[in-house]
Amino acid sequence: MKALQIVKYGEIVESLAFNEISKPTVQANDVLIEIKAAAINPIDNSIILGNLQRMIPIPFPSTIAYDVSGIVVEKGEEVSDFQIGDLVYSRVPQEQMGTLAEYVAVTSAAVSKKPGNISFEEAASIPLAGLTALQTLEYAGIKENDKVLIHAGSGGVGSFAIQYAKAKGAYVYTTTSTANVNWVKELGADRVIDYKTEDYKTIVKDADIVFDTLGGNYSSEAFEVIKQGGKVVSIVGPLDEEIAKMFGMADYKLPEALAQLCSAKEASYKFIFMHPNGAHLNLIKTLIEDETIKPIIDKVYSFSESIEACIHLASGRAKGKIVIKIN
Amino acid sequence: MEELIKKIKGSIPLSLEAEEYLIAISREKVFPKGSILIRQGQSVDKVYFVKSGCVRSYCIDKNGKEHTLQFAIKSWWISDYIAIHNNESATLNVECLKESCIIEFNAKTLDGVLTLFPEYEPFQRNILERHIVSLYKRILNQLQLTASESYDLFLKQYPDIEQYTRNYHIASYLGITQESLSRIRVEKAKK
């Protein structure tokens, strides 16, 4: 089968190649998915650049990408909750990475039936960003009337997080650039802050939760807008000690400055590492079928245009998700 | 099965032999919510009489989206008749939207009843005619009625169905978007 593989770390064009490889075989708990659509995420770009080689070492060559939708065409003997012919979607686990291909074998625990009211392309756009948003906001204990700041509301995670937070009854602030203000507002955000003309730090006060999707200064600035005892949850900022330990960095300490900010505000800081979860995807399926959440797609590329799609992703300018139609 | 026999006897005289035969070839079964009776792409040899519950038939287009063709509630028949008639694999999926008590028949065996007991034929013909009428009405309604009128009619035809269907099941049955359906509901609530 045809697959887009990473052959070395570095620039996209030199690091990726289309290769003919053998179809994956299923283990007892796996389903084999004939891929209809896949989606790429910022993590794919970080992997290609080699930025994550310490946390996630990749053997070369490896097929890239995690998001998939398609049809179950084979299953292992232990799989009872899926049948051949089921239409499914998944964020595949790290050890099964490789959805820019014609087939992928995935442990059934990471798979869910896909929402019935959306296309394969739309379904492929959901898993990684949707699970990240859901797991982050749930970790922060989001509830009705919470004031939540979600950075980069036009991104894949941000656009999903806004809709999920609104579904939970929260008051949502979000930041985005001028060109995106209107459509981000349509997602339901209560206060869309145009970061080109406004300073979010003067607008957001006493937030219960800050969802940091940007890292850098934004992780520490979060403590300027968080309420006493609030929660800062980040998917790109510094690791926290628990997560660092999970990745084998036993001596890691949260940066001193951040630790001080936490204690000054009696607030918490947590780095969220999304984990694949079929049950969570099933929950998202219901929200999508009820149109509580809508998939936001920037562009659909054909399989042969996958490298261009990765270049588009790396530009950081995508509004919503970048999807690749496989078959 | 008693109910179905009563229904048959209400419309045609049925001999004891025919009654016993129908009972012998039928199988009554309770299917939990979510059960798939017919799966697209697989072979089909059964027709289903819904004793209670709610069953939906739908197709999946090449983009992976579902389109509802029929809802079957109490006393409706459902199957993939295209597959049975043309001896092809299923183009439809048939699923239980809630726990449903179903009487299933092998399609060929049920056809055999007509040869063995010709008195059964008017009943069978009546089912077919009702199906045709229902399909004609569905096409005409699509051509003539506004989305709001179609929805009204739908609720009359399937009272209480909204308790166990999802919005997109109904929207796709009516051929409208989920947003339009929500809008219609909001307008109705205002009245």
Side-chain angles (χ1 to χ4, degrees):
Chain A
M1 67 170 189
K2 191 174 153 188
L4 184 68
Q5 297 199 301
I6 176 170
V7 292
K8 65 181 188 67
Y9 292 125
E11 291 303 312
I12 291 167
V13 179
E14 288 118 46
S15 304
L16 298 180
F18 283 104
N19 288 331
E20 195 59 41
I21 60 167
S22 52
K23 205 160 123 178
T25 50
V26 291
Q27 303 298 311
N29 288 306
D30 290 349
V31 292
L32 184 70
I33 300 173
E34 182 191 322
I35 301 176
K36 290 289 181 182
I40 48 175
N41 294 280
I43 190 173
D44 298 306
N45 192 43
S46 302
I47 283 175
I48 296 164
L49 293 172
N51 295 345
L52 296 177
Q53 49 187 301
R54 209 173 139 206
M55 281 168 81
I56 310 170
I58 304 285
F60 299 127
S62 285
T63 308
I64 61 162
Y66 300 94
D67 277 338
V68 64
S69 71
I71 302 172
V72 174
V73 289
E74 244 177 76
K75 60 175 197 160
E77 65 265 27
E78 299 286 324
V79 177
S80 59
D81 39 0
F82 293 98
Q83 303 297 326
I84 307 297
D86 279 348
L87 275 52
V88 293
Y89 73 147
S90 177
R91 189 286 193 188
V92 307
Q94 184 57 47
E95 58 278 14
Q96 295 181 309
M97 179 179 84
T99 60
L100 283 177
E102 291 171 76
Y103 297 89
V104 66
V106 190
T107 179
S108 64
V111 179
S112 160
K113 304 251 177 74
K114 77 174 248 311
N117 59 334
I118 59 171
S119 65
F120 285 115
E121 282 112 71
E122 289 170 311
S125 78
I126 298 291
L128 191 147
L131 290 171
T132 304
L134 178 144
Q135 290 169 5
T136 304
L137 290 170
E138 285 302 332
Y139 179 86
I142 188 168
K143 58 186 187 313
E144 207 174 347
N145 298 324
D146 272 356
K147 281 161 78 175
V148 182
L149 167 64
I150 297 164
H151 279 300
S154 64
V157 173
S159 57
F160 193 104
I162 291 171
Q163 298 182 81
Y164 188 75
K166 284 311 298 173
K168 286 275 173 175
Y171 183 92
V172 176
Y173 298 95
T174 189
T175 54
T176 192
S177 66
T178 317
N180 296 324
V181 167
N182 284 335
W183 77 265
V184 169
K185 209 172 266 175
E186 279 171 24
L187 295 177
D190 297 282
R191 179 67 168 90
V192 181
I193 301 161
D194 178 351
Y195 67 76
K196 291 201 168 161
T197 60
E198 298 179 291
D199 178 7
Y200 78 93
K201 297 197 291 301
T202 63
I203 295 166
V204 186
K205 297 256 183 290
D206 293 328
D208 296 274
I209 299 167
V210 175
F211 190 162
D212 169 29
T213 61
L214 296 167
N217 289 340
Y218 289 93
S219 309
S220 47
E221 281 177 13
F223 292 89
E224 293 179 39
V225 300
I226 201 93
K227 73 170 190 187
Q228 204 71 19
K231 287 174 178 152
V232 177
V233 274
S234 178
I235 53 170
V236 280
L239 300 183
D240 62 61
E241 284 153 22
E242 192 188 5
I243 286 282
K245 202 174 277 175
M246 210 174 91
F247 284 100
M249 296 174 247
D251 303 334
Y252 177 89
K253 286 271 173 261
L254 188 69
E256 187 55 31
L258 207 55
Q260 280 174 10
L261 288 168
C262 281
S263 63
K265 277 247 168 146
E266 293 170 334
S268 67
Y269 172 85
K270 178 78 185 138
F271 182 92
I272 304 289
F273 199 81
M274 190 276 322
H275 55 277
N277 185 318
H280 287 173
L281 282 179
N282 207 33
L283 207 102
I284 293 172
K285 171 180 183 281
T286 309
L287 293 169
I288 289 175
E289 287 178 342
D290 292 341
E291 285 202 325
T292 305
I293 289 176
K294 286 184 186 175
I296 310 291
I297 293 180
D298 182 279
K299 194 171 173 189
V300 179
Y301 287 84
S302 67
F303 192 12
S304 60
E305 297 167 330
S306 299
I307 293 175
E308 286 92 319
C310 291
I311 293 167
H312 180 182
L313 171 80
S315 78
R317 302 212 175 278
K319 298 168 188 165
K321 296 298 306 292
I322 298 169
V323 172
I324 292 145
K325 189 179 164 120
I326 302 288
N327 186 4
Chain B
M1 188 62 191
E2 258 172 55
E3 264 183 53
L4 179 59
I5 295 289
K6 221 162 105 187
K7 201 173 149 65
I8 299 171
K9 282 179 168 171
S11 80
I12 57 161
L14 192 70
S15 67
L16 190 62
E17 291 84 355
E19 183 180 329
E20 280 171 354
Y21 186 79
L22 281 167
I23 291 168
I25 64 165
S26 67
R27 198 168 66 132
E28 189 170 320
K29 214 173 149 187
V30 175
F31 290 92
K33 178 185 170 183
S35 302
I36 305 281
L37 305 180
I38 295 175
R39 195 177 276 274
Q40 198 167 324
Q42 295 186 356
S43 63
V44 184
D45 59 2
K46 291 191 178 67
V47 293
Y48 304 92
F49 176 81
V50 181
K51 193 175 159 192
S52 66
C54 183
V55 181
R56 172 178 83 116
S57 68
Y58 64 96
C59 68
I60 299 167
D61 67 22
K62 62 177 183 352
N63 297 319
K65 283 168 97 159
E66 294 175 11
H67 303 274
T68 304
L69 187 73
Q70 187 198 345
F71 293 102
I73 50 175
K74 186 177 160 56
S75 298
W76 282 73
W77 293 82
I78 194 163
S79 185
D80 182 342
Y81 293 104
I82 307 169
I84 290 175
H85 187 262
N86 294 345
N87 204 15
E88 293 167 349
S89 51
T91 49
L92 300 175
N93 294 279
V94 176
E95 68 163 349
C96 299
L97 294 178
K98 61 182 290 204
E99 187 183 90
S100 301
C101 182
I102 306 280
I103 301 170
E104 54 177 47
F105 294 89
N106 179 288
K108 283 209 175 83
T109 318
L110 188 61
D111 262 357
V113 179
L114 300 174
T115 326
L116 292 168
F117 306 99
E119 77 252 35
Y120 182 71
E121 196 270 341
F123 180 76
Q124 185 72 4
R125 188 165 28 122
N126 185 262
I127 295 172
L128 277 173
E129 284 171 357
R130 273 184 49 202
H131 257 290
I132 294 167
V133 168
S134 156
L135 289 171
Y136 270 34
K137 272 192 180 165
R138 193 150 141 61
I139 296 167
L140 285 172
N141 292 344
Q142 293 254 348
L143 296 171
Q144 292 174 327
L145 300 184
T146 65
S148 177
E149 288 166 339
S150 296
Y151 179 59
D152 281 341
L153 203 68
F154 173 78
L155 289 184
K156 255 186 220 156
Q157 196 174 10
Y158 299 103
D160 305 327
I161 201 166
E162 286 176 299
Q163 290 168 20
Y164 31 83
T165 50
R166 310 293 296 280
N167 286 352
Y168 81 94
H169 297 159
I170 299 175
S172 71
Y173 177 83
L174 297 174
I176 60 176
T177 63
Q178 281 174 255
E179 275 170 331
S180 301
L181 179 61
S182 302
R183 212 168 29 241
I184 292 168
R185 281 183 176 151
V186 169
E187 279 161 17
K188 274 191 191 309
K190 278 187 201 158
K191 280 178 191 168

